[in-house]
Structures are given as C-alpha cells and as structure tokens.
Amino acid sequence: MTKEELWRAVLAQIQLNISQANFITWFKNTGITFQEGNQVIVSVPNSFAKEWLENKYGKTILKTLHNLNQEIKEIKYIVGKTELKVLKKTSSTSLPEIGQLEFQEFKINKETNLNPKYIFENFIIGPFNELAHAATWAISKNPGFIYNPLFVYGGVGLGKTHLLEAAGNEIIKNFPQKKVKYIPSEIFTAGVVSSIRNHEVEKFKSKYRAVDVLILDDVQFLAGKEKTQEEFFHTFNDLYEKNKQIIISSDRPPKAILALAERLRSRFEGGMMADISYPDYETRLAILKTKAQERKVNFPEDILNYIASNIQKNIRELEGAINRLSAYQKINNQPLNLEKSKSLLKNLIFSPARVSTPKKIIQAVSEFYDLKEKELLSSSRKKEIVNPRQIAMYLLREDLKSSYPFIGRKFGGKDHTTAIHSYEKVLKELEVNENLNNEINLIRQRILTC
Ligand code: ADP
Ligand code: MG
C-alpha cells in the first residue's frame, strides 16, 4: 500500500466519526510524507493543526494505520508541505477516489448556502418520510402559497437537511429569479450576535428580509437564545406577510423545544408539520444499494442485509457503513465477504460502546483539556480547571439529564447550586461563543469513542 493509500484510508475512517466541518478544518492539506518500517511522518499545514491532530486524533490515526499495516507503531507530525492533495482527483487506474473524500463543502453556493449534492433525485422515499417529502416537493413547485411555514422534524441523520436543501435547490431550478437562503440556526444566532456587536442590526435584518425562501435548519438550537428568537420572530412575520416561503427543521416538534418563546412556537405550529421517523427494512436496503451504486461499488446481498438489519435509526450511519466498506474494497482491490465486513463495521454497529455515561463524559473532558480526572473532580479554583469542570457539568445535565444534586455529588460533593450555576453559565456562554460550541461538539465526539 502506498503512503497516499494509507492516508486515504485514515481519512475515510476518521470522516465517519467527525462532522464534515471538523473534518475539513483539521484534515485539509494533510498527508503522509514519509513511511518506512515502523515510522510514519504526517505533514500538516500549520502548528495549530499539528497540535490538534496529535492531541485529539492521534490515537485514532495510529490505530487506523496500525490496523492497515501492523508494522506501523509510531507517528510523527510535522508542519510542512503535503504531497498528497486530497482534493485532486486521481485517475481510476492508479488510485480510486473515495466518494466523500473530496471536500465537498467547497462547492456550496455562496449566495444561497445550498449544497448542490442534496437534491430530490438522490433522496429515497419510504413510508417513514413520505409526508415530509410530499410537503417539501409541493412547496418547491409553488413556494409561499401552500404550506407556510413548513416545519420538518425528526431524529439525527434521518434526512432533514437533505430534504430542506433539496427543496431549496429545486426552487432555484424551477424559479431561477427567486432568492433562496439556507441557514443553519447556529449561524443565524452567530449573525444576530455579531450584528449587535458591530452595530449592523439593520443590515442583518434586511439581508434576511430580502429573500423569497428562507430555510432555517435545526431550529432547536434557538432554544434559550432570546435575542435571536426575537430577531427571527420579526423576520418570520415580515416574510410571512409577504407570502415568502419559510421552511424549518428541528430534531423535535415545536412543543418539545423548551425555552422557545410561545409566540414562535405558535407560529411554527400554525403551518404544516411533517415528521420523519425511522426507515423500515426495505427502505434501508434500498438506501444502501443506491449509495453503493453512487460510489460505483457492489456488495453481495448478505452484506447489505447485515447492515440493514443492524443499523436502523440513522441514514448517515448507513451511508457511513457503505463508505467504510467501499474504501476498504477499493484500496484492497478485492471483493469483501461478510465476515470481513462485520469486523470492519464493528464499532459502527455495536452501539452500546457509543452511549454516553457520566464516567465517559468526565474522561473525555479531562482528556480533551489535558487534565487528570482527579483535577477535574477537585475543588481547585484555577481557571484552567474551573472551565472544563463547568463544561463537564453542563454535559451531564444537557446530554444525560442528570439531576443537579447528582452532578454536585459526582464532582466532589459540591452543592447542587454549583451545578446549576455551571450549567447556566455554559449555556449562556454558548450563545455568544462559537468556539465553545465547536469545542463541546468535539468533546461529544470524543465521548463516543471513550
Ligand atoms: P439530518 O439533517 O436529519 O441529521 P441529513 O439530511 O444530514 O440528516 O442526512 C444524513 C445523511 O443521510 C446525508 O448524507 C443524506 O444525504 C443521507 N440521507 C438521509 N435521508 C436520505 C434519503 N431518504 N435518501 C438518501 N439519502 C439520505
Ligand atoms: Mg441536519
């Protein structure tokens, strides 16, 4: 295996476990510049990326490389020019390209924020998403006049973003003169915050009020963000009165978004609501076959059946399984059997290991900030310990719904008011601090691998 192939295999593996945004941030322009015997040198574009790769992904990278080549026992990271350009397509004879490894984010339309890869043509319909599909499809034929707003909700990885963006892309196709804007809620929030800070509120307002179709993704992130909600409320009303189309997604129905202003909730409920539930077995199989076809690979039925039976609640994971197997198959240039597939998909399928627990949160936070668990649980008032501790408490509350007294006890017998204070402080900080948000998401990914 050449060093390029090795690195592609590492990227294919890592890409499955982190968000596309993080993947691009940390792995763009990286590569293996040297590999001999048990040593590998990975080059990275700058010292910041070096630190992150070493500290946050070092273990995964080493494990992946070691799995592919047992000899490899050590990795060094250097800042320098990379020979391998991941973006560059290679000819099919020398090295097959691996589907998602191109950094597709770059193709996003700057005007609309829409990603052209999300279209109706590659969206598979089953009983679980039929209604949401029908509603978005209808809207894209006649935006503003049928279902307004349209509120699509459902769990993670079930196709909300794909569907919303498909509607956006379809509208542009049908009505090229219409202005469509897709925006994730976190970005909308960041926009509100910075427009206030920079005294550009009017400019911000007019930007969103000039559109014909506004697509706001993952609206649950507006929970507790009062200023942003207020701004969105006014934008909403303005667009609504002008018969402009509003499409919203959320991981839960409006009723279940706590800390959402009542007036927004009733606006959302006043339109059309469509949910996406879990795909049935047949649709899962159809999705797997389509995704394999898109990647120009073939797998025997028994492998596809195995995946469809074992991954039931997340289409992104179905896709991840296909990516992983196709990467392996292409690199090794030989067909896979069921047994090998099972071992390649082990950590994707056996999810108990991926469930979060207080212990894992504490471990992940300590590792992330290079602290000893003892320090995190101590009463130290040092800032570099207090902040991580508050984040750990926040995660216990937010992700595990632990009670405040429980959290207090867990952290060295502190009072429950300390836990409340920590939770609220982090929650507030998240509203204005985009970096903290990224940090916490990275910690969450780490928790899954603890
Ligand atoms: P969500 O926004 O609900 O978390 P996404 O829209 O990001 O989910 O979907 C996750 C991945 O699964 C995407 O790559 C998407 O293209 C794919 N996907 C989801 N639903 C379907 C579907 N019905 N047909 C084809 N691909 C799908
Ligand atoms: Mg989404």
Side-chain angles (χ1 to χ4, degrees):
M1 211 184 266
T2 69
K3 51 189 200 288
E4 284 81 12
E5 287 169 326
L6 275 173
W7 193 241
R8 272 167 194 274
V10 168
L11 294 183
Q13 180 85 13
I14 284 177
Q15 197 183 18
L16 296 175
N17 298 317
I18 71 176
S19 75
Q20 185 73 355
N22 280 324
F23 182 65
I24 289 168
T25 309
W26 305 118
F27 291 93
K28 195 173 59 183
N29 296 330
T30 58
I32 293 179
T33 48
F34 175 86
Q35 192 249 315
E36 220 174 86
N38 63 4
Q39 242 209 21
V40 166
I41 297 181
V42 171
S43 73
V44 297
N46 54 54
S47 56
F48 196 51
K50 174 171 183 283
E51 197 174 309
W52 275 81
L53 255 62
E54 272 177 337
N55 293 333
K56 313 298 173 195
Y57 299 108
K59 269 193 209 157
T60 318
I61 295 173
L62 182 60
K63 215 167 86 189
T64 312
L65 283 174
H66 182 74
N67 280 343
L68 291 161
N69 178 343
Q70 246 80 122
E71 264 189 30
I72 297 174
K73 302 233 163 59
E74 199 190 348
I75 303 178
K76 281 207 170 78
Y77 294 84
I78 58 158
V79 179
K81 213 170 142 278
T82 323
E83 284 168 13
L84 171 71
K85 293 226 176 18
V86 182
L87 269 170
K88 201 172 127 197
K89 289 192 181 174
T90 47
S91 79
S92 56
T93 45
S94 64
L95 179 66
E97 61 191 79
I98 299 167
Q100 295 209 325
L101 275 188
E102 303 149 65
F103 291 101
Q104 283 161 339
E105 218 94 329
F106 292 122
K107 295 188 202 146
I108 288 177
N109 182 311
K110 288 215 165 62
E111 234 5 83
T112 62
N113 289 332
L114 289 168
N115 188 329
K117 79 172 178 180
Y118 294 125
I119 48 178
F120 281 118
E121 285 76 9
N122 59 12
F123 187 82
I124 291 151
I125 307 159
F128 70 105
N129 62 11
E130 215 171 358
L131 179 65
H133 172 269
T136 34
W137 178 254
I139 276 177
S140 58
K141 297 292 163 208
N142 192 1
F145 292 95
I146 322 175
Y147 308 124
N148 209 10
L150 170 66
F151 191 99
V152 175
Y153 65 93
V156 180
L158 291 173
K160 300 182 296 295
T161 297
H162 189 139
L163 203 50
L164 263 58
E165 294 213 34
N169 282 316
E170 184 70 23
I171 292 172
I172 297 281
K173 203 168 90 190
N174 297 336
F175 309 93
Q177 76 286 7
K178 285 212 189 291
K179 280 184 83 173
V180 177
K181 214 166 217 18
Y182 166 85
I183 179 142
S185 295
E186 297 109 305
I187 304 216
F188 187 82
T189 305
V192 171
V193 173
S194 76
S195 77
I196 294 170
R197 194 186 304 132
N198 302 326
H199 310 288
E200 290 178 339
V201 177
E202 286 312 312
K203 198 170 137 203
F204 180 83
K205 278 192 189 354
S206 53
K207 181 164 128 192
Y208 288 101
R209 294 181 193 185
V211 303
D212 299 298
V213 179
L214 182 64
I215 305 174
L216 187 69
D217 204 357
D218 286 319
V219 82
Q220 75 274 4
F221 290 127
L222 297 194
K225 299 179 178 151
E226 281 149 36
K227 198 74 203 145
T228 308
Q229 288 186 21
E230 190 187 323
E231 189 48 52
F232 182 64
F233 180 74
H234 294 303
T235 303
F236 183 104
N237 287 341
D238 188 79
L239 293 175
Y240 184 80
E241 276 159 24
K242 293 187 289 196
N243 282 328
K244 305 296 187 191
Q245 180 69 49
I246 300 152
I247 315 177
I248 297 161
S249 86
S250 163
D251 68 351
R252 60 202 98 163
K255 242 200 297 306
I257 310 177
L258 305 175
L260 181 70
E262 194 48 47
R263 55 185 186 169
L264 261 185
R265 188 185 327 242
S266 66
R267 286 288 186 286
F268 295 166
E269 288 174 343
M272 163 84 171
M273 293 213 273
D275 76 319
I276 301 184
S277 56
Y278 297 133
D280 51 288
Y281 183 82
E282 285 73 22
T283 315
R284 297 202 294 276
L285 212 51
I287 290 173
L288 289 170
K289 286 183 177 165
T290 312
K291 302 278 172 191
Q293 226 167 38
E294 281 170 8
R295 287 161 185 71
K296 301 191 175 54
V297 284
N298 260 318
F299 299 110
E301 286 289 322
D302 60 346
I303 295 183
L304 297 178
N305 291 339
Y306 174 76
I307 304 173
S309 320
N310 285 284
I311 299 177
Q312 300 171 341
K313 300 190 171 165
N314 190 326
I315 296 174
R316 186 174 296 124
E317 289 183 1
L318 287 175
E319 221 173 12
I322 290 292
N323 282 343
R324 188 171 297 184
L325 296 189
S326 70
Y328 185 90
Q329 185 156 304
K330 283 176 173 176
I331 285 165
N332 291 286
N333 215 356
Q334 59 185 14
L336 272 165
N337 59 23
L338 181 60
E339 200 189 340
K340 183 70 202 170
S341 306
K342 280 185 182 173
S343 98
L344 287 170
L345 299 176
K346 215 162 46 199
N347 55 355
L348 200 67
I349 281 175
F350 293 104
S351 46
R354 300 161 68 229
V355 171
S356 179
T357 62
K359 193 166 169 284
K360 285 185 188 177
I361 290 178
I362 289 164
Q363 187 190 339
V365 173
S366 314
E367 279 179 18
F368 189 86
Y369 294 104
D370 289 323
L371 295 172
K372 298 198 179 68
E373 285 181 30
K374 231 171 48 204
E375 291 175 301
L376 195 74
L377 301 175
S378 72
S379 318
S380 165
R381 301 300 310 156
K382 280 192 207 141
K383 193 161 176 268
E384 60 270 29
I385 299 179
V386 172
N387 288 347
R389 185 188 298 136
Q390 289 176 335
I391 288 170
M393 290 186 172
Y394 167 83
L395 284 167
L396 254 82
R397 179 70 191 172
E398 186 72 14
D399 293 3
L400 300 181
K401 311 285 172 248
S402 302
S403 76
Y404 291 121
F406 172 85
I407 298 172
R409 275 200 304 279
K410 203 80 211 149
F411 287 80
K414 293 186 183 62
D415 193 70
H416 73 278
T417 53
T418 311
I420 296 177
H421 170 77
S422 301
Y423 175 73
E424 286 176 351
K425 186 170 160 239
V426 174
L427 199 62
K428 233 179 168 159
E429 177 74 19
L430 276 173
E431 234 175 276
V432 292
N433 186 342
E434 186 71 10
N435 288 340
L436 182 63
N437 206 2
N438 292 338
E439 242 169 78
I440 289 186
N441 284 331
L442 287 169
I443 293 170
R444 286 198 169 108
Q445 283 153 21
R446 180 168 278 265
I447 291 169
L448 299 180
T449 59
C450 273

